[in-house]
Amino acid sequence: MRAIARRLLFNTKPATIRNITMSDSDQAPAFNRPRLVAKKVPAKLQHEGDGAVVRRGIGRSELKSLDPFLMLDDFSVAPPAGFPDHPHRGFETVTYMLQGGITHQDFAGHKGTIGPGDVQWMTAGRGIIHSEMPSGEGTSKGLQLWINLSSKDKMIEPGYQELLKDDIRRAESDGVEVRIIAGESMGIRSPVYTRTPALYLDFTLKPRAQLHQNIPEAWNSFVYVIEGEGVFGSLNSSSAAAHHVLVLSPGDGLSVWNRSSKALRFVLVAGQPLNEPVVQYGPFVMNTQAEIDRTIEDYQYCKNGFEMAKNWRSQ
């Protein structure tokens, strides 16, 4: 898949991290407008694909979307289950592997496997049909995020960016480690080009560690807790445990404290809202019902981006 990776650029506002040594009793705010937890949503189990199980945090009734984010799945899949041939149009998928591997194939002949710690950033654009199946034995786990594309970008040509584990930039300070998938933290930027400007950071906090991460004020943001528990936004907040989405209020940054005796791991995701109408029909996301109707017709008759689907089946 490295061979199909596209040009890597970066277009988000700078975001920095500040690790400040203070006692838990010192509640001086780190930001002029700190982001607080506005809503806590459990990621609930449901079946998807062919025998796969996901915990869906965004894209269900409790949290339909968070502009520009359409869906967040914490997936778990083992052979022979998986996500066989299916289409997409009008958005991007970001697949971040936590355990095991996923083999991807699409109708343009692109094929490859991402393993633990790898990221595939796929721009579906005008149309892709692909499969995502577990690689090897055992259970494969990861996160998949759907990011909407603006109306001007919905019908662009599909493309991929791939970051292998060793290529993802990291930083560490005062008990906080961050893997920078998109955006910037601790003065280090990811090379990923985000058509919809976005921040995607994977943090691990050791016990008693804390962090203060800047976020562009106009962006929507959320946290997904992968393991452990922590206090987010304010020292007065109740702790949040694994498998919860925390929707953050407006503000210029997020503070987090790990008061527990175990490590806390979470992703912080933020993006510039598109403020455009969203009409979704399963794996198709456009701006109007008429565009959805045309998309369904294009898919059924293998045209306008779906031409290669006519005789294609994944192996």
Side-chain angles (χ1 to χ4, degrees):
M1 294 174 74
R2 185 189 293 271
I4 64 173
R6 294 296 191 264
R7 177 170 62 103
L8 299 181
L9 298 172
F10 176 76
N11 71 344
T12 65
K13 290 183 179 180
T16 59
I17 185 172
R18 290 178 284 158
N19 290 82
I20 301 172
T21 302
M22 63 170 71
S23 69
D24 279 358
S25 61
D26 185 349
Q27 298 190 34
F31 301 100
N32 292 327
R33 296 182 65 224
R35 291 192 181 233
L36 306 177
V37 177
K39 187 175 186 178
K40 182 162 71 171
V41 179
K44 294 184 179 179
L45 290 170
Q46 65 183 63
H47 293 279
E48 286 293 326
D50 184 1
V53 175
V54 304
R55 291 181 181 270
R56 182 157 296 169
I58 300 175
R60 53 185 305 120
S61 58
E62 295 92 334
L63 184 59
K64 290 294 291 181
S65 64
L66 182 66
D67 188 11
F69 307 111
L70 302 163
M71 191 191 80
L72 177 71
D73 279 353
D74 182 347
F75 63 84
S76 178
V77 58
F83 306 95
D85 304 359
H86 59 279
H88 295 293
R89 175 181 276 182
F91 60 97
E92 298 184 301
T93 68
V94 183
T95 305
Y96 182 28
M97 295 304 301
L98 303 176
Q99 173 184 309
I102 289 288
T103 295
H104 161 91
Q105 299 180 52
D106 76 17
F107 66 1
H110 302 141
K111 181 177 180 179
T113 299
I114 54 173
D118 296 345
V119 174
Q120 182 199 69
W121 198 295
M122 183 184 82
T123 302
R126 66 198 305 256
I128 274 182
I129 298 179
H130 73 160
S131 64
E132 299 161 290
M133 302 299 289
S135 173
E137 299 180 355
T139 300
S140 295
K141 297 181 179 181
L143 303 177
Q144 187 169 93
L145 177 70
W146 289 12
I147 306 177
N148 201 9
L149 288 171
S150 67
S151 56
K152 66 181 176 61
D153 290 331
K154 284 190 176 295
M155 294 297 285
I156 61 173
E157 290 298 320
Y160 297 89
Q161 297 174 82
E162 182 187 68
L163 284 83
L164 301 181
K165 179 181 179 180
D166 292 340
D167 297 330
I168 295 176
R169 296 173 182 176
R170 300 176 180 225
E172 188 171 358
S173 178
D174 297 332
V176 178
E177 181 182 356
V178 60
R179 304 182 79 232
I180 304 147
I181 296 168
E184 180 180 338
S185 186
M186 294 192 192
I188 297 176
R189 293 184 178 185
S190 164
V192 165
Y193 172 58
T194 58
R195 288 188 178 276
T196 302
L199 178 75
Y200 194 139
L201 306 173
D202 174 5
F203 284 107
T204 300
L205 273 65
K206 293 179 179 178
R208 313 307 295 178
Q210 61 182 279
L211 73 89
H212 305 279
Q213 170 69 43
N214 289 355
I215 301 170
E217 287 199 48
W219 292 11
N220 289 330
S221 61
F222 70 90
V223 161
Y224 181 70
V225 184
I226 298 172
E227 61 183 39
E229 62 178 357
V231 176
F232 295 83
S234 165
L235 276 168
N236 297 323
S237 300
S238 58
S239 61
H243 310 310
H244 282 84
V245 171
L246 311 178
V247 179
L248 303 178
S249 68
D252 56 356
L254 173 68
S255 297
V256 183
W257 296 266
N258 181 4
R259 292 168 153 180
S260 75
S261 59
K262 297 181 180 180
L264 164 66
R265 186 181 182 187
F266 63 92
V267 293
L268 170 62
V269 182
Q272 181 175 307
L274 298 174
N275 298 314
E276 294 181 354
V278 175
V279 181
Q280 181 171 355
Y281 181 79
F284 304 138
V285 183
M286 304 300 287
N287 297 107
T288 68
Q289 186 59 48
E291 290 171 340
I292 288 290
D293 294 342
R294 284 195 295 272
T295 297
I296 294 169
E297 180 179 321
D298 290 345
Y299 174 60
Q300 289 176 337
Y301 292 97
C302 301
K303 62 181 184 177
N304 295 330
F306 291 106
E307 289 86 352
M308 288 181 286
K310 196 166 187 179
N311 299 306
W312 180 81
R313 297 290 184 276
S314 62
Q315 303 299 313

